[in-house]
Every structure is written in C-alpha cells, then in structure tokens.
C-alpha cells in the first residue's frame, strides 16, 4: 500500500503532502481514522467560535454515560444520541469554513457557485418549486427548494427531471438544508425521501431536524438508501419530531459515496 503523510499549513490547515500516497480516508493513528482527525481540525478552525457547542454536547454525553462513537468510521450511532449530535455539529462547522483541504486539488470549494457545466446544473424552470403544506399536515419538499445551497455547487447539482419538475443530485458529504416555515402541528412525523440510485450499496442519508429558533435538534436519523435500479422509489419512513412553526431540516451523507438523485422529501403525520 501507499503511505499517508500529512502536514499543517497556515492557509489551508491540515493537508495531504504525498500526491501519490494515501489520502485521508485510508490514514489512521491508533484508534482514530484520518477523516475523523480532519473533521475535528476543520470544525475547530471554522472561525465561528462555536466549537464550544460541540464540547457541551459531548459533556452531556459524558454525564449520561454514553459510549464513545467509533472514531474509525465517523458515523452517528442511535445508541449515543448526544455524541451523534456533537458529530453532526462538527460537520456543520467544518462545512462552513470555506477552505480547500487538499493542497494539490484545484477545485471549487463547497458552498461556492460553479460556472462550468452550466447547461447541466443550473436550476431549471422559471421559478423555484415551493414547499407544499397540505391540509392533513403532510409536507412535501421539492429537493431543489433548499435554503442552503441556493445555487448549484460542485457536490449539489440541480437539474430537470424527465418525470417533470426538478431534482437534486447529491455527492460527497455536502450539507443540504431546508427551512419549514409553516408547521401547523408539533409532533411525530414519518419522513421519506424519493430517490434514484444505481448502486447496490449506498451511504445512508443522515437527517437532522432542529427548531429554527436555535435550540438543539429534536431528531437525528439515519435513513437507508434502497437500490432502485435507476428508478424513482421511496426510502422506508423514519419517525422524527417537528416543532410547531419554523424548523430547519438538513441532511448529508458520509464520504466517499456514490452520487444520489433526490426528487422529494415527504413528512407525513
């Protein structure tokens, strides 16, 4: 195998310095993988000064006696709720730091608009599709109606759907966020994604639901992506909690992964 070697730089943080060596996903030290180490350095260097919120979540986990997450996988664990929240918060902080982490990559930074492939990834149609709130409490979110990003990025693409409307294509560990402004009734909802996959094994969708007033998340869920053989299909419903009024809903997937197309997200009472 190839060796993995990294070093710290003032402008880009920790970077891989062997172009033909191992990258972060195969690096490890004792009981910690390279991706977990890189994530913590990015979160601490986010510039928001909000890493204390990560520590507070981990302190709560310590008080409750939760087991540590497997730092060789960097995945949430339903049995360690507060540590999973801390991990999700790290990803949110890291995603917003705006720095390229690989010195030899000259690619678009996550969150910036891209100017190439415009015929493919521009938002199509004259107007953005709106989130639908039904009388029975059902909420239907067109995948391209996200509040973040508002324009295509390298890892979040918008495109026309052959079945009508638009669809979102998700890659890497990009975070996609939606704002639900008009939830009329708080309570338990069953959420499902309408997806199209072409690989038998996909990384799960990691969903976080948070009241839009800045409180802690009400739900963290891992949603299994089915193998749809290139057809549209729904994920199995997973129960989450929505607060009355405004809620922020976000999702990501662990990298590396295969690209996944998403058309709609549905919340049903």
């Amino acid at each position: 195998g190839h060796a993995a070697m990294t070093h710290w730089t003032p402008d880009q943080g920790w970077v891989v310095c062997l172009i033909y060596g191992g990258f972060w996903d195969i690096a490890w030290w004792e009981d910690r993988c390279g991706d977990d180490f890189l994530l913590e350095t990015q979160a601490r260097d986010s510039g928001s000064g909000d890493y204390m919120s990560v520590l507070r979540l981990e302190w709560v986990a310590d008080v409750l006696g939760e087991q540590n997450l497997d730092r060789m996988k960097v995945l949430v664990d339903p049995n360690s709720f507060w540590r999973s929240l801390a991990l999700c918060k790290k990803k949110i902080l890291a995603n917003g730091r705006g720095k390229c982490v690989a010195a030899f990559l000259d690619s678009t930074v996550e969150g910036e608009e891209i100017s190439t492939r415009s015929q493919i990834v521009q938002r199509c149609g004259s107007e953005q599709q709106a989130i639908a709130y039904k009388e029975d409490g059902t909420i239907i979110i067109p995948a391209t109606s996200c509040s973040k990003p508002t324009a295509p990025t390298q890892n979040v693409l918008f495109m026309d759907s052959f079945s009508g409307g638009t669809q979102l294509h998700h890659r890497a560990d990009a975070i996609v966020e939606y704002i639900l402004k008009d939830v009329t009734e708080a309570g338990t909802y069953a959420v499902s994604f309408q997806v199209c996959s072409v690989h038998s094994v996909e990384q799960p969708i990691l969903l976080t639901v948070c009241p839009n007033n800045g409180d802690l998340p009400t739900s963290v869920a891992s949603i299994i992506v089915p193998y749809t053989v290139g057809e549209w299909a729904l994920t199995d419903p997973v129960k989450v909690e929505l607060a009355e009024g405004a809620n922020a809903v976000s999702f990501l997937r662990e990298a590396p992964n295969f690209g996944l197309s998403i058309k709609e997200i549905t919340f049903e009472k």
Side-chain angles (χ1 to χ4, degrees), residues 118-222:
S118 58
Q119 297 301 314
I120 299 176
V121 301
Q122 282 183 345
R123 190 186 300 278
C124 302
S126 58
E127 293 183 0
Q128 180 178 354
Q129 292 179 285
I131 297 174
Y133 299 87
K134 304 295 186 180
E135 291 184 358
D136 63 357
T138 299
I139 304 171
I140 301 176
I141 307 175
T144 56
S145 65
C146 45
S147 58
K148 176 184 179 182
T150 57
T153 69
Q154 180 156 327
N155 293 322
V156 179
L157 312 180
F158 305 128
M159 58 191 73
D160 280 330
S161 178
F162 286 108
S163 58
T166 58
Q167 65 193 54
L168 179 150
H169 191 69
H170 183 271
R171 303 190 303 196
D173 59 351
I175 295 177
V176 182
E177 182 176 280
Y178 305 85
I179 300 298
L180 305 182
K181 298 180 180 179
D182 301 307
V183 177
T184 57
E185 183 179 350
T188 303
Y189 288 73
V191 59
S192 58
F193 283 65
Q194 186 178 16
V195 300
C196 176
S197 63
V198 295
H199 295 90
S200 58
V201 179
E202 292 275 4
Q203 291 279 25
I205 298 169
L206 306 179
L207 182 73
T208 301
V209 179
C210 182
N212 204 27
N213 58 7
D215 290 341
L216 291 173
T218 55
S219 297
V220 176
S222 178

Side-chain angles (χ1 to χ4, degrees), residues 7 21 71 90-91 101 196 209 222 251:
H7 70 287
R71 297 200 299 179
K90 284 183 184 179
K91 288 181 175 293
V101 298
C196 176
V209 179
S222 178
F251 75 85

Side-chain angles (χ1 to χ4, degrees), residues 39 43 46 48 50 85-97 148 175 177 208 210 217 250 252:
L39 176 64
S46 63
S48 66
D50 201 26
L85 289 182
L87 177 60
C88 292
K89 183 62 177 180
K90 284 183 184 179
K91 288 181 175 293
I92 292 172
L93 293 175
N95 187 71
R97 63 193 289 273
K148 176 184 179 182
I175 295 177
E177 182 176 280
T208 301
C210 182
S250 62
L252 56 84

